[in-house]
Amino acid sequence: MTSPSTIAPKFLSAGNELGVVAVGFSGGQCKPGVDAAPSALIESGLLNQLKDDLSYTLHHDDTVHTYSELLPSQDPPHRNMKNPIAVSAVTRQLSTQVYSHARHGRLVLTLGGDHSIAIGTIAGTSRAIKERLGREMAVIWVDAHADINTPETSESGNIHGMPVAFLTGLAREKGAREELFGWLGEEPCLSLKKLVYIGLRDVDKGEKRILREHGVRAFSMHDIDKHGIGRVMEMALGHIGTDTPIHLSFDVDALDPQWAPSTGTPVRGGLTLREGDYIAECVHETGSLVAMDLVEVNPSLEAMGAQETIRAGCSLVRCALGDTLL
Ligand SMILES: NC(=[NH2+])NCCC[C@H](N)C(=O)O
Ligand SMILES: [Mn+2]
Ligand SMILES: [Mn+2]
């Protein structure tokens, strides 16, 4: 049984308004199928639960956006990135959709898609929050991976391993063309000081150097084993403070493959589903949540576990949006 949350949101307009954006995009990595996640999540009843059980007023265009009209016929590698023009165009368009929900003071839920789409979602919310409230926002990035490669440090060329580098300005290219992420502008969307990672366990060499050099706050699985998830969440939220809007970007591969096998880059030794739900519940309890992404569910991989993965994804979203155990 569920009932609406009693936590009053600090940075949203009244009325429990939820903007939903469904993004069927897979161009930030090489495995097809992650584009089918939004339909799978919606078909399993997620949006109905948010409406009926958690009493949200939904703003959704009933479309899974594939942005096919934006995809170029030619998209050669640029600085070693695969599909750079496609990812740039899709995230640019997505950022305006997320922005217009957030500008109205709605909580924004984006269902991906691979994690490259966070370039668009975080660009959109951070701009809206800056305009509405004159504040900088924080990002909690829950993931097995840091996704902070620059095009130059990346070994794969997959942009889903780079969104944080673009958002924080680390990947900036002087005089970049609009259609090659130049649209992001000079000013970073996110400060490295307002970024917190949880769940890391597969971080590339170049990424480790970046995290160390900039003193980024990161809680790996080692930290979770050592302190327990309760203490880790206290430290993570303590770093952000109580007066800062939070964007939660949740990569389902943060969960152990036992709970979320159907994902493109699974890594053993991850969070239990309960730990994942707990992270989401704690973020909800802050009252500071302004946006959430759920990404990297790929129902076509490990098809046996697809329903399991979808169920886990739905659970994470419900918890972040106020579902409680009692
Ligand atoms: N969003 C993800 N699942 N990212 C995985 C990234 C893997 C690897 N670090 C790369 O840059 O290619
Ligand atoms: Mn990941
Ligand atoms: Mn990721």
Side-chain angles (χ1 to χ4, degrees):
M1 276 310 291
T2 50
S3 48
S5 169
T6 53
I7 307 282
K10 288 188 268 194
F11 303 111
L12 301 172
S13 58
N16 228 17
E17 313 268 332
L18 179 69
V20 178
V21 188
V23 182
F25 181 67
S26 63
Q29 45 86 66
C30 299
K31 296 179 184 169
V34 68
D35 42 288
S39 310
L41 292 159
I42 293 168
E43 274 160 29
S44 84
L46 177 60
L47 298 185
N48 290 332
Q49 292 162 4
L50 299 178
K51 183 160 53 106
D52 300 338
D53 303 340
L54 298 178
S55 300
Y56 282 96
T57 302
L58 262 50
H59 300 267
H60 182 220
D61 55 13
D62 286 319
T63 308
V64 175
H65 295 271
T66 59
Y67 307 98
S68 47
E69 70 287 357
L70 300 176
L71 304 182
S73 52
Q74 298 266 32
D75 201 355
H78 174 73
R79 297 164 71 196
N80 186 41
M81 288 182 274
K82 293 173 181 154
N83 312 319
I85 294 182
V87 178
S88 174
V90 165
T91 52
R92 182 184 201 171
Q93 176 64 28
L94 172 58
S95 76
T96 69
Q97 292 173 272
V98 169
Y99 168 83
S100 54
H101 285 303
R103 194 71 187 76
H104 284 99
R106 299 172 190 155
L107 178 60
V108 190
L109 172 65
T110 303
L111 303 174
D114 71 64
H115 220 162
S116 68
I117 67 165
I119 296 173
T121 61
I122 292 174
T125 25
S126 82
R127 181 156 75 93
I129 292 294
K130 231 168 252 171
E131 287 180 16
R132 263 186 70 234
L133 308 168
R135 277 170 195 272
E136 245 185 272
M137 103 191 162
V139 168
I140 301 181
W141 194 279
V142 188
D143 204 322
H145 312 92
D147 295 345
I148 198 168
N149 272 304
T150 66
E152 288 68 33
T153 65
S154 169
E155 284 167 26
S156 67
N158 294 328
I159 301 178
H160 79 154
M162 311 179 194
V164 180
F166 276 98
L167 290 162
T168 54
L170 292 171
R172 187 180 313 117
E173 173 188 19
K174 268 213 181 85
R177 283 154 52 198
E178 289 271 297
E179 66 266 35
L180 286 167
F181 298 104
W183 64 268
L184 277 165
E186 296 276 290
E187 183 92 348
C189 304
L190 169 65
S191 156
L192 283 161
K193 295 192 172 53
K194 293 214 177 327
L195 167 65
V196 181
Y197 286 108
I198 302 172
L200 301 185
R201 59 192 181 277
D202 183 11
V203 180
D204 299 338
K205 221 160 140 203
E207 294 182 299
K208 285 184 183 167
R209 204 179 47 235
I210 293 172
L211 295 181
R212 258 189 244 121
E213 240 167 51
H214 296 274
V216 177
R217 201 75 173 110
F219 298 95
S220 66
M221 288 310 300
H222 175 92
D223 297 308
I224 295 169
D225 293 339
K226 183 168 171 182
H227 302 290
I229 193 67
R231 181 77 192 108
V232 162
M233 285 313 291
E234 274 173 31
M235 293 190 281
L237 295 171
H239 178 75
I240 290 171
T242 53
D243 56 354
T244 305
I246 297 174
H247 183 124
L248 174 63
S249 202
F250 210 121
D251 184 330
V252 84
D253 73 27
L255 300 182
D256 191 87
Q258 196 178 332
W259 282 271
S262 301
T263 189
T265 50
V267 190
R268 293 190 300 172
L271 301 168
T272 64
L273 176 56
R274 200 34 238 156
E275 286 169 332
D277 282 350
Y278 182 77
I279 293 169
E281 289 163 0
C282 289
V283 172
H284 176 78
E285 282 175 354
T286 64
S288 299
L289 184 68
V290 293
M292 176 183 191
D293 316 320
L294 178 73
V295 299
E296 299 284 352
V297 172
N298 187 333
S300 72
L301 298 173
E302 296 295 326
M304 293 283 289
Q307 278 316 312
E308 192 91 354
T309 312
I310 291 160
R311 269 218 313 264
C314 291
S315 180
L316 296 169
V317 172
R318 281 198 312 269
C319 289
L321 270 56
D323 201 355
T324 54
L325 297 175
L326 291 174

